[in-house]
Amino acid sequence: MNLSFFDQFSSPSLLGIPLILISMTFPALLLPSMGNRWVTNRVSTLQLWAVNLITKQLMTPLNKKGHKWALILTSLMIFLLLINLLGLLPYTFTPTTQLSMNLALAFPLWLATLLTGLRNQPSVSLGHLLPEGTPTPLIPALILIETTSLLIRPLALGVRLTANLTAGHLLIQLISTATVALFTTMPLVSLLTFLVLFLLTILEVAVAMIQAYVFVLLLTLYLQENI
C-alpha cells in the first residue's frame, strides 16, 4: 500500500520507452499560436496579458543589463507553471516532482548567472565570498562557508520545487484514499474529509503557481548579483 502512494511519481513508459519528454512538451500545445493580426481572440489577449504581467514581475529586480534574459526567464516561468498545474489533474504525471529534471533546469541557469558575473565583473563576484570588514582569523572559515552556500544554490532550487510538489501530491492522495475508504462506513466523516480535500486542492493550485514563481525569481536574484 505504501508503495502505491509513490507510484504516481514514477515516469510513465510505453513499451519500455519513457514518456516524460512527451509530458514536458504537452504544455506547449495549450498555448494558442499567434497569427498575423495583433489581437485574434480573447484567448490570445489573455495570453498576451499574462506574459506581460509575468515579464514585468520577473524583470523588476533586474537592471537594464538583465533584461536580455527576459525571454528565457519568462518562458521558464510559463513552462513550470503549466506543468505544475497540469500535474494536479487526475491520472496525469508531474515531471517537476522528479529531482533530476529540476536539477537539470536549475544547474545550467545558475551556472550561466555565475559565469556571467565572473566574465563581466570578476572582482565583485568574488567579493561576495568575503564580506567587508571580516576579522582576519575568520577569513578562511567565511570563504569556505560562502563558497559552500554558493555551490548548493542549484541543489536548493531543485529540492525546494521537488519537495513542495511531492508533499502536496502525497497529501492529496492520502486524503482522497481516506475519503473513499470512509464513505461506506462513516459517511459524515467522509464528507468532512472531502471538504478538507477540496480545500487542499485549492491550496495546491496556489502552491503550484507560487513554487514556479519562486524558482524563477531566485534565478533572477542570482542574476542580479552578477550583472
Side-chain angles (χ1 to χ4, degrees):
M1 187 65 179
N2 293 331
L3 292 177
S4 64
F5 287 148
F6 293 92
D7 287 344
Q8 59 176 318
F9 303 117
S10 60
S11 177
S13 59
L14 179 64
L15 299 177
I17 302 175
L19 302 180
I20 187 172
L21 293 178
I22 298 179
S23 61
M24 290 172 57
T25 55
F26 182 74
L29 302 177
L30 300 179
L31 299 178
S33 58
M34 301 300 295
N36 55 1
R37 293 184 295 177
W38 285 1
V39 179
T40 56
N41 50 38
R42 291 183 177 89
V43 177
S44 298
T45 304
L46 183 62
Q47 176 192 359
L48 183 60
W49 172 82
V51 170
N52 289 336
L53 179 63
I54 292 173
T55 305
K56 181 179 178 181
Q57 293 295 326
L58 294 179
M59 294 299 106
T60 300
L62 298 176
N63 54 27
K64 291 185 177 180
K65 292 182 179 180
H67 289 180
K68 65 180 67 175
W69 289 66
L71 179 60
I72 185 172
L73 292 177
T74 303
S75 301
L76 179 63
M77 172 70 183
I78 296 174
F79 174 72
L80 291 176
L81 183 62
L82 290 178
I83 280 186
N84 292 347
L85 292 177
L86 288 174
L88 294 174
L89 297 176
Y91 302 104
T92 56
F93 173 71
T94 311
T96 45
T97 56
Q98 306 295 311
L99 182 60
S100 57
M101 173 186 165
N102 295 335
L103 289 179
L105 290 175
F107 183 77
L109 293 173
W110 166 82
L111 185 61
T113 61
L114 182 62
L115 294 179
T116 300
L118 292 176
R119 184 189 65 178
N120 295 335
Q121 45 181 15
S123 299
V124 177
S125 298
L126 294 176
H128 290 301
L129 301 179
L130 184 63
E132 186 177 358
T134 304
T136 303
L138 297 178
I139 288 179
L142 280 180
I143 291 178
L144 182 61
I145 293 173
E146 292 296 330
T147 303
T148 304
S149 65
L150 177 66
L151 295 178
I152 65 173
R153 281 180 175 181
L155 180 62
L157 283 175
V159 170
R160 180 186 295 108
L161 182 60
T162 303
N164 282 281
L165 295 180
T166 302
H169 284 66
L170 280 176
L171 281 175
I172 288 178
Q173 185 169 1
L174 286 171
I175 297 178
S176 61
T177 303
T179 302
V180 175
L182 295 173
F183 181 75
T184 56
T185 56
M186 292 180 286
L188 183 59
V189 178
S190 177
L191 182 61
L192 292 177
T193 55
F194 177 77
L195 179 61
V196 174
L197 177 63
F198 177 74
L199 296 176
L200 180 62
T201 304
I202 297 177
L203 177 63
E204 283 305 310
V205 172
V207 168
M209 295 187 290
I210 291 173
Q211 288 304 316
Y213 176 69
V214 168
F215 187 92
V216 184
L217 179 62
L218 289 176
L219 284 175
T220 60
L221 295 180
Y222 299 157
L223 178 63
Q224 178 60 28
E225 292 180 358
N226 294 283
I227 57 176

